[in-house]
């Protein structure tokens, strides 16, 4: 082969170039057909075949790269005037092959695209969710570096997941870890005699892997590359902490709580414990109630209405809800008519917050009123000795409400409509999307647990039936 003429060498190089182009065209056509098939049905079999095809193409390209190396050695034996020209062509071809093997040209940088992605998600998810997802992806970038979006490998995500399993759950709140990255905090936590509780497997999946998976799926579609998370998801180490199952309050715990809460001067601290337990509403739903939202749908039936917009400074503002099933009416138990709750509501104008104290801390506006209220109420539970981290918190009142309805044999669909949980089946989605008057009648008269003492709240006699 060392005796090849310049023309023969050029001819062989041209043949290799033609083969590369043919392979590239075949690959493009193959990918187009595979995408059409995926639109019809995404199955493991198709994903496996596509992965095998990609490996075959990589093998062919590697063989081609070897052939190019052979030509380069042959070209070295040619006269210098011929060698330089051939060497330049071989170098260009080799660079193209290497680029294909490396996944193609560099795409945009991750952090730049994160800003774009965050903007696109506006109005498609709650602002808090969008912000939180972006922060979790920045945690990944802090660990793996800011690279073109097509330059991350599966091992980047797996090693990040391994670090998360050792990472303190509340590292941003603990002075011990101030200024540390996730990896540094994990390493430091491992050296402590009493380690701080680490992230649970569920938290890693929901708060980190899920947004990363969604982000890279979007980037792959936008910039035409294959997401490294398309065929496999990082495994969460067995050492990751198990999730703590949240439990309802016992009747005895509720009695302790209500006795103390009924004496509170602030309306939010006084009424939220009772309302949350009787209705199953979330703290964020209760905090954002306005005067207009608590109303009668008949002469005797009271509801809270989350289907309308908020009125803020005279302007209608879309009410932020967790999901579409949260946009609902929920029934208010008849026992509230024996309390001063409706008197409190009557003092508030249509666009007034029912619980204005939750929106300010001194003279400063609170950035996240619902989160602040939750922490404040959990602090009260802690002082009363009935708060257990993760297990028994203010959110446990929502679990308690579900138990009360279950024991009272409330239809599960009605209970889900009351609490804003997603329907369990397609059939459950048929019919009116909010509670029927007949369902409100049942929920208003819901039988409460034996031994539950609401006397600290009771200030009026039970209304007579007419």
């Amino acid at each position: 082969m060392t005796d090849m003429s310049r023309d023969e060498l050029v001819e062989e190089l041209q043949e290799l170039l033609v083969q590369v182009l043919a392979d590239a065209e075949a690959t493009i056509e193959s990918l187009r057909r595979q995408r059409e098939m995926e639109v019809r049905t995404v199955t493991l079999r198709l994903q496996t075949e596509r992965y095998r095809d990609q490996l075959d193409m990589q093998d062919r390209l590697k063989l081609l790269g070897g052939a190019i190396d052979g030509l380069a050695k042959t070209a070295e034996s040619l006269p210098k005037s011929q060698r330089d020209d051939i060497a330049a062509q071989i170098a260009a071809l080799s660079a193209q092959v290497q680029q294909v093997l490396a996944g193609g040209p560099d795409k945009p940088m991750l952090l730049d695209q994160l800003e774009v992605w965050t903007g696109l998600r506006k109005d498609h998810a709650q602002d808090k969710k969008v912000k939180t997802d972006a922060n979790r992806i920045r945690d990944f970038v802090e660990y793996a570096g800011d690279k073109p979006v097509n330059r991350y490998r599966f091992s980047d995500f797996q090693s990040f997941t391994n670090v998360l399993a050792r990472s303190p759950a509340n590292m941003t709140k603990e002075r011990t870890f101030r200024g540390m990255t996730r990896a540094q905090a994990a390493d430091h936590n491992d050296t402590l005699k009493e380690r701080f509780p680490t992230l649970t497997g569920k938290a890693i999946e929901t708060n980190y892997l899920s947004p990363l998976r969604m982000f890279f799926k979007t980037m792959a579609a936008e910039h035409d590359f294959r997401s490294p998370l398309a065929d496999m998801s990082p495994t969460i180490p067995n050492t990751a902490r198990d999730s703590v199952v949240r439990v309802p309050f016992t009747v005895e715990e509720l009695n302790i709580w209500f006795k103390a809460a009924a004496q509170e001067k602030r309306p939010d601290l006084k009424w939220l414990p009772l309302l949350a337990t009787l209705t199953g509403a979330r703290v964020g739903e209760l905090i954002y109630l306005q005067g207009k939202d608590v109303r009668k749908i008949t002469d005797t039936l009271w509801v809270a209405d989350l289907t309308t917009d908020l009125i803020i400074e005279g302007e209608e503002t879309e009410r932020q809800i967790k999901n579409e099933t949260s946009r609902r009416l929920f029934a208010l138990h008849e026992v509230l008519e024996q309390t001063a709750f409706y008197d409190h509501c009557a003092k508030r104008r249509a666009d007034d917050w029912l619980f204005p104290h939750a929106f300010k801390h001194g003279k400063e506006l609170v950035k996240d009123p619902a989160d602040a209220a939750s922490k404040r109420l959990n602090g009260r539970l802690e002082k009363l000795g009935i708060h257990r981290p993760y297990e028994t918190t203010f959110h446990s009142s929502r679990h308690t409400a579900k138990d009360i309805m279950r024991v009272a044999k409330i239809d599960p669909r009605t209970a889900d409509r009351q609490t804003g949980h997603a329907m369990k089946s397609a059939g459950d989605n048929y019919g009116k999307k909010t509670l029927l008057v007949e369902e409100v009648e049942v929920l208003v008269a819901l039988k409460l647990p034996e031994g539950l003492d609401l006397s600290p709240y009771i200030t009026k006699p039970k209304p007579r039936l007419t």
Side-chain angles (χ1 to χ4, degrees):
M1 193 170 180
T2 56
D3 297 329
M4 291 176 65
S5 68
R6 180 180 183 280
D7 291 340
E8 290 173 332
L9 189 60
V10 170
E11 183 178 354
E12 184 169 348
L13 181 59
Q14 288 175 336
E15 289 176 355
L16 287 171
L17 286 170
V18 170
Q19 185 62 46
V20 169
L21 292 173
D23 284 345
E25 290 175 356
T27 301
I28 292 170
E29 179 61 20
S30 174
L31 289 174
R32 185 187 66 78
R33 289 198 302 270
Q34 289 166 4
R35 286 179 180 175
E36 288 178 352
M37 294 175 69
E38 286 175 352
V39 170
R40 300 189 190 100
T41 173
V42 181
T43 64
L44 181 60
R45 181 179 62 81
L46 290 175
Q47 291 177 344
T48 303
E49 288 179 358
R50 181 167 55 193
Y51 183 58
R52 188 181 297 118
D53 288 344
Q54 289 178 335
L55 290 180
D56 290 344
M57 176 54 67
Q58 285 185 342
D59 289 341
R60 290 199 297 272
L61 287 170
K62 287 177 181 177
L63 286 173
L64 180 58
I68 292 173
D69 289 341
L71 285 174
K73 292 178 181 177
T74 301
E76 291 176 359
S77 64
L78 297 173
K80 187 176 186 310
S81 59
Q82 299 176 8
R83 185 171 68 237
D84 291 346
D85 182 41
I86 296 296
Q89 295 181 51
I90 291 175
L93 178 59
S94 179
Q96 292 177 18
V97 172
Q98 290 299 323
Q99 188 178 80
V100 172
L101 288 173
D106 284 351
K107 306 299 183 180
M109 302 297 285
L110 190 153
L111 286 181
D112 291 338
Q113 289 304 292
L114 181 58
E115 296 302 318
V116 176
W117 184 68
T118 300
L120 290 174
R121 293 186 71 200
K122 184 176 176 60
D123 299 328
H124 291 272
Q126 285 190 320
D127 291 344
K128 183 177 180 180
K129 169 65 174 170
V130 173
K131 182 179 179 181
T132 300
D133 285 353
N135 286 337
R136 298 293 77 83
I137 293 172
R138 288 190 184 94
D139 286 342
F140 170 72
V141 173
E142 181 182 61
Y143 174 78
D146 186 21
K147 308 175 187 177
V149 289
N150 63 326
R151 289 292 176 244
Y152 292 95
R153 297 293 175 257
F154 178 80
S155 57
D156 293 326
F157 301 93
Q158 184 60 67
S159 58
F160 180 57
T161 302
N162 295 345
V163 167
L164 291 176
R166 300 165 39 235
S167 180
N170 292 318
M171 62 170 283
T172 57
K173 300 177 183 178
E174 300 293 344
R175 292 184 178 180
T176 306
F177 306 109
R178 188 169 294 172
M180 294 185 184
T181 65
R182 280 278 173 195
Q184 290 168 342
D187 291 340
H188 181 62
N189 200 34
D190 288 342
T191 67
L192 301 177
K193 290 184 179 180
E194 293 187 14
R195 297 175 72 233
F196 285 84
T198 54
L199 290 167
T200 65
K202 182 178 179 181
I204 293 171
E205 171 59 38
T206 303
N207 300 334
Y208 290 89
L209 297 184
S210 178
L212 279 167
R213 202 177 289 117
M214 180 167 49
F215 173 78
F216 275 91
K217 182 178 181 180
T218 304
M219 292 299 103
E222 178 68 19
H223 299 292
D224 197 23
F225 69 94
R226 186 154 186 79
S227 167
L229 298 174
D231 297 309
M232 184 177 289
S233 184
T235 56
I236 298 174
N238 294 331
T239 53
R241 186 166 59 90
D242 291 334
S243 298
V244 177
V245 177
R246 192 162 281 149
V247 298
F249 291 109
T250 65
V251 170
E252 291 73 22
E253 288 171 335
L254 289 175
N255 289 341
I256 294 171
W257 193 17
F258 291 163
K259 182 178 180 180
Q263 307 306 314
E264 295 279 3
K265 300 300 182 184
R266 281 180 52 147
D268 52 339
L269 298 177
K270 179 173 185 173
W271 296 113
L272 290 181
L274 182 61
L275 288 172
T277 303
L278 294 178
T279 68
R282 303 175 177 92
V283 65
E285 296 167 343
L286 295 170
I287 282 295
Y288 284 96
L289 286 176
Q290 293 185 316
K292 65 179 176 57
D293 298 329
V294 175
R295 61 184 181 86
K296 283 185 173 182
I297 58 171
T298 71
D299 290 341
T300 58
L301 301 179
W302 287 88
V303 299
D305 188 352
L306 303 183
T307 67
T308 62
D309 288 338
L310 298 173
I311 302 175
I312 301 176
E313 296 182 352
E315 298 289 333
E316 289 192 357
T317 304
E318 184 177 1
R319 187 188 299 270
Q320 294 293 310
I321 54 173
K322 184 173 184 179
N323 49 49
E324 197 52 40
T325 55
S326 300
R327 197 177 299 281
R328 68 192 191 282
L329 305 177
F330 58 85
L332 297 174
H333 198 278
E334 61 186 7
V335 75
L336 289 171
E337 294 196 70
Q338 296 177 254
T339 73
F341 176 66
Y342 295 123
D343 297 330
H344 168 69
C345 294
K347 297 175 184 177
R348 310 303 297 168
R349 293 175 299 185
D351 59 349
D352 282 344
W353 302 117
L354 285 189
F355 308 111
H357 295 78
F359 291 82
K360 286 190 175 183
H361 181 70
K363 294 183 179 180
E364 297 292 326
L365 289 176
V366 175
K367 291 183 179 179
D368 189 340
D371 183 60
S374 180
K375 291 174 180 176
R376 191 178 296 110
L377 289 158
N378 282 330
R380 291 294 198 275
L381 290 172
E382 198 167 350
K383 286 182 179 179
L384 294 171
I386 54 177
H387 175 274
R388 293 183 292 279
Y390 306 107
E391 184 177 348
T392 309
T393 67
F394 181 79
H395 192 76
S396 296
S397 58
R398 189 164 162 80
H399 293 252
T400 305
K402 267 302 184 75
D403 270 359
I404 293 173
M405 287 185 272
R406 192 177 297 113
V407 171
K409 302 190 185 314
I410 298 296
D411 182 271
R413 181 185 181 281
T414 300
D416 287 340
R417 285 279 188 257
Q418 170 75 351
T419 56
H421 280 124
M423 296 295 103
K424 304 298 187 295
S425 69
D428 287 342
N429 276 310
Y430 278 68
K432 191 176 181 182
K433 302 305 180 186
T434 56
L435 292 170
L436 299 169
V437 171
E438 292 81 2
E439 291 177 302
V440 175
E441 286 178 342
V442 172
L443 291 166
V444 161
L446 181 69
K447 183 180 178 181
L448 298 178
E450 193 73 30
L452 183 63
D453 183 12
L454 298 183
S455 62
Y457 281 105
I458 303 300
T459 58
K460 304 175 184 179
K462 186 175 182 179
R464 293 183 180 181
L465 295 176
T466 57

